[in-house]
Amino acid sequence: MVTTDVLKEKIIAGLNLEDIDPSEISDTDPLFGDDGLGLDSVDAIELTLVIEKEFGVKVTNIADAETIFATAESLCNFINEQKNA
């Protein structure tokens, strides 16, 4: 099972967010936009690749992407659901 701590470390490494510590990212803070981590559309593509490479999980339904990538917690839940499917 993937934890949010492991996921945050992979996000930071995969997106080269060297100035951020995993403990600074709340499980429920938005990953995108000004209120949270502040990722943008280019980061979304890179994050999708990180998820596929690190966890072997693909996001096949783009319509669900906004919900899946909303927070570290929602992304972690998606990864675990897909790995257990």
Side-chain angles (χ1 to χ4, degrees):
M1 185 168 142
V2 177
T3 65
T4 53
D5 290 335
V6 169
L7 176 61
K8 291 178 214 176
E9 289 173 11
K10 299 293 185 187
I11 290 171
I12 289 168
L15 300 181
N16 297 316
L17 304 174
E18 296 149 358
D19 298 341
I20 299 176
D21 187 85
S23 64
E24 295 177 51
I25 306 170
S26 166
D27 289 355
T28 56
D29 280 349
L31 295 177
F32 294 87
D34 296 335
D35 295 336
L37 198 52
L39 301 181
D40 61 22
S41 58
V42 173
D43 293 322
I45 295 166
E46 292 179 10
L47 183 54
T48 302
L49 296 173
V50 168
I51 299 308
E52 289 180 10
K53 178 180 166 213
E54 296 292 336
F55 303 109
V57 172
K58 290 183 182 263
V59 178
T60 54
N61 188 348
I62 300 304
D64 294 335
E66 188 174 338
T67 304
I68 293 167
F69 289 99
T71 65
E73 185 176 60
S74 64
L75 183 53
C76 190
N77 289 339
F78 172 77
I79 291 168
N80 287 319
E81 287 168 10
Q82 295 303 304
K83 290 179 82 65
N84 293 327

